[in-house]
Amino acid sequence: MNQNILVIGQGGREHAIAWKISKSPNVSKVYVCPGNGGTELDSSLLNVNLNINDHDSLVNFAKQNNITMTIVGPENPLAAGIVNSFLNAGLKIFGPKKQYALLESSKVFSKEFMKNFNIPTSEYQMFSSNQEAKDFCSTKKHPIVIKADGLAAGKGVVVSASIDESYEAIDSLLKSEHSDYIVVEEFLNGQELSAIYIVNYQGISYEIGLPWTKDYKSRDEYNSGPNTGGMGAVSHPLCFENKNSLFKLHLDIEKILIKTLTSINNYNKDDGVGYLGFLYMGLMINNKDEINVLEYNCRLGDPETQNIMLTLHNKDVDLLDLILGRKNNKKDFNLDRIDNEDNGYCCTLVLAAKGYPESYKKGFYLDLSSIKETDQLVIFHSGTDIENGKIVSKGGRILSVNVYANDRQKAIDMAYEKIKEIKVFEDKDFKHQNQDLVFFREDIGN
Ligand code: AMP
Ligand code: GLY
């Protein structure tokens, strides 16, 4: 059956999902709500100008346009119950219901969940009292990590190096718009890894393991500067040479996945539907190969998705098949990697407005005309609009340059070569070039 798909969201992740799903031979139309400049420029996608918080309008749109499946990109609509609204209206939607999305929407819930179900995570305490949190932090060896309970678009986590910094973080996170609670947790060392699964319509034990990626979260080189949504990503980030240790990691990660899914389904056993959607486990792996869960996200990552979608494209994989579970089997792209000599590597570099994630300018213009996109080189837009055919910035993370190659260094070098070709102008006539309006991290892939 030919499908009409609606993708909800407006970031680089949603551009990448929509781009990839539009390539499926079984897909007719792909709508993106509200989309961005990149989805507007792509002739195979259609932007829809509706408010994603208005579930009734989205349900009506889906009915009127014969949408056969909706895919939810960001976390806020999941936490607000968009999946519940669509299912109640008898519509197919890919994402977890809000009672499952608590894994992401409340840090307190997810830490308690991990503790109760024996899922490895760092030691923690939660607080609603500012003074009690400060008293606790003043006795602790730093660094420690302080997290707001609610969704905060990457701004709710502070890795604090000193007691003064902890006090400041407690004052700003507790009782902010995001939280009546904060979690204070032990700082973990190691390598971070984003392990993302598609928990599809075939149910548990048929989930699809997407290629592992590493996200570069801090704004500046070598993990310095404030936390951001993500400044870049690379595939296959683990530098272990040894196949046995990679295989063991794979098995350990899978055990955590299965425990998570069976436990969250058990927690919601009265619902009877089960977890459906993407499940992202943010992991920390220490030098003894021990794994801890830093966070769950009930959606794909941004910018990991841009990296993964280009990788899937180069492996000739149909995203719709993975979501529907059509091939009737379990699949893990990381196992392929461990088993074969597959050196395919993808590098994602984010171009951001100078000042991001704090205050930054919007409304400047980008000229990408010297970059020729190919099957191995794709630009996904995040914070852009189109004004009289010109690309204008409207967000902190503006776009990403994504390169896939059969060699790690080639992918990284090509991505840096191309991002440097992007020209930035203060004016729509492209007369006043000003590259200082933007920046990118110089160490992605290291
Ligand atoms: P979260 O949203 O919980 O994943 O936190 C955002 C980022 O903060 C993570 O990707 C890590 O880089 C860092 N982080 C969070 N928790 C910890 C921890 N317990 N130890 C070290 N770093 C952490
Ligand atoms: N890149 C991290 C996230 O999407 O949460």
Side-chain angles (χ1 to χ4, degrees):
M1 182 178 86
N2 263 15
Q3 305 249 0
N4 292 329
I5 308 286
L6 170 62
V7 177
I8 292 178
Q10 61 178 12
R13 165 184 46 214
E14 290 76 20
H15 185 187
I17 297 170
W19 171 85
K20 181 70 188 99
I21 207 126
S22 73
K23 299 197 178 302
S24 167
N26 296 305
V27 166
S28 303
K29 285 187 179 158
V30 180
Y31 297 90
V32 193
C33 176
N36 60 34
T39 53
E40 186 173 334
L41 286 178
D42 186 332
S43 57
S44 54
L45 309 176
L46 293 152
N47 280 3
V48 180
N49 191 12
L50 290 174
N51 176 355
I52 64 171
N53 300 316
D54 181 352
H55 296 182
D56 289 344
S57 298
L58 293 172
V59 162
N60 284 338
F61 177 85
K63 285 183 175 164
Q64 281 160 10
N65 292 279
N66 299 321
I67 300 295
T68 47
M69 185 169 63
T70 296
I71 301 174
V72 189
E75 57 275 24
N76 293 87
L78 294 172
I82 195 163
V83 173
N84 306 58
S85 304
F86 270 61
L87 293 179
N88 288 341
L91 294 167
K92 190 163 181 172
I93 183 162
F94 193 65
K97 292 168 89 172
K98 73 173 177 189
Q99 54 270 49
Y100 299 79
L102 277 171
L103 280 177
E104 172 169 10
S105 61
S106 165
K107 295 276 187 209
V108 168
F109 176 88
S110 79
K111 291 300 276 193
E112 296 281 276
F113 173 87
M114 288 188 260
K115 188 170 88 184
N116 291 341
F117 293 103
N118 271 329
I119 292 166
T121 190
S122 58
E123 292 294 326
Y124 72 98
Q125 292 274 340
M126 56 192 191
F127 297 95
S128 61
S129 146
N130 189 299
Q131 194 54 51
E132 283 173 24
K134 286 182 178 170
D135 290 346
F136 177 78
C137 287
S138 65
T139 65
K140 287 287 160 191
K141 196 169 132 238
H142 282 65
I144 53 174
V145 185
I146 305 176
K147 299 182 175 180
D149 178 43
L151 294 175
K155 295 188 187 123
V157 176
V158 176
V159 177
S160 159
S162 67
I163 294 178
D164 283 348
E165 233 183 281
S166 294
Y167 285 1
E168 206 179 299
I170 292 166
D171 284 336
S172 79
L173 295 180
L174 193 57
K175 310 272 193 289
S176 68
E177 61 185 300
H178 311 296
S179 291
D180 287 333
Y181 286 91
I182 52 169
V183 170
V184 178
E185 68 180 52
E186 167 203 11
F187 176 82
L188 299 174
N189 270 309
Q191 268 213 69
E192 271 191 77
L193 178 71
S194 306
I196 308 180
Y197 289 83
I198 298 181
V199 185
N200 62 29
Y201 289 91
Q202 298 234 1
I204 297 191
S205 77
Y206 286 102
E207 59 297 316
I208 309 290
L210 292 169
W212 291 334
T213 45
K214 174 181 159 81
D215 172 25
Y216 290 72
K217 284 240 172 71
S218 68
R219 184 191 60 197
D220 303 325
E221 283 72 17
Y222 303 105
N223 295 331
S224 57
N227 220 11
T228 70
M231 292 299 300
V234 293
S235 48
H236 202 54
L238 298 171
C239 330
F240 305 104
E241 297 293 324
N242 180 329
K243 284 198 174 191
N244 288 341
S245 62
L246 272 178
F247 189 65
K248 179 176 175 304
L249 268 181
H250 160 78
L251 291 178
D252 290 347
I253 295 173
E254 197 167 54
K255 260 188 221 151
I256 296 177
L257 171 79
I258 298 297
K259 213 181 228 189
T260 302
L261 289 173
T262 46
S263 306
I264 193 70
N265 287 352
N266 194 28
Y267 174 82
N268 284 300
K269 57 179 174 302
D270 293 341
D271 177 55
V273 171
Y275 192 98
L276 182 75
F278 302 104
L279 181 65
Y280 167 143
M281 303 196 296
L283 306 173
M284 185 71 91
I285 302 169
N286 70 16
N287 55 12
K288 293 184 201 141
D289 289 357
E290 292 160 343
I291 305 173
N292 275 288
V293 178
L294 294 180
E295 66 166 341
Y296 291 113
N297 295 318
C298 298
R299 52 167 174 85
L300 287 166
D302 188 334
E304 291 95 325
T305 307
Q306 294 85 313
N307 194 282
I308 291 169
M309 293 303 143
L310 185 57
T311 301
L312 294 181
H313 178 63
N314 277 276
K315 291 184 182 299
D316 216 9
V317 173
D318 184 344
L319 178 61
L320 188 65
D321 278 347
L322 300 185
I323 289 177
L324 296 176
R326 259 214 280 260
K327 293 281 188 264
N328 204 30
N329 57 12
K330 185 177 170 68
K331 168 106 190 120
D332 194 308
F333 289 95
N334 302 298
L335 267 186
D336 285 2
R337 177 115 210 184
I338 297 167
D339 289 346
N340 315 320
E341 297 303 321
D342 171 5
N343 294 316
Y345 189 92
C346 189
C347 176
T348 297
L349 304 179
V350 170
L351 185 82
K354 189 69 73 59
Y356 170 79
E358 281 127 28
S359 60
Y360 54 83
K361 274 198 183 149
K362 297 177 190 173
F364 50 84
Y365 296 81
L366 293 108
D367 177 7
L368 311 181
S369 59
S370 70
I371 303 177
K372 189 178 170 309
E373 293 189 54
T374 65
D375 283 330
Q376 287 78 38
L377 163 62
V378 179
I379 293 178
F380 292 119
H381 291 227
S382 300
T384 69
D385 250 339
I386 305 301
E387 241 181 57
N388 299 323
K390 299 246 165 87
I391 302 166
V392 58
S393 76
K394 66 160 186 190
R397 291 189 293 175
I398 301 168
L399 55 76
S400 63
V401 174
N402 301 272
V403 176
Y404 182 89
N406 285 325
D407 172 87
R408 173 176 172 273
Q409 202 55 46
K410 251 193 221 156
I412 295 170
D413 290 348
M414 176 68 86
Y416 274 106
E417 186 186 317
K418 293 297 163 188
I419 204 167
K420 288 175 187 162
E421 287 180 15
I422 296 174
K423 294 195 187 77
V424 184
F425 294 89
E426 290 173 10
D427 61 316
K428 61 179 182 337
D429 300 322
F430 289 176
K431 287 200 174 122
H432 303 287
Q433 190 171 352
N434 184 356
Q435 298 301 123
D436 285 340
L437 291 166
V438 298
F439 75 103
F440 52 85
R441 261 179 73 159
E442 302 271 1
D443 64 338
I444 307 298
N446 291 326

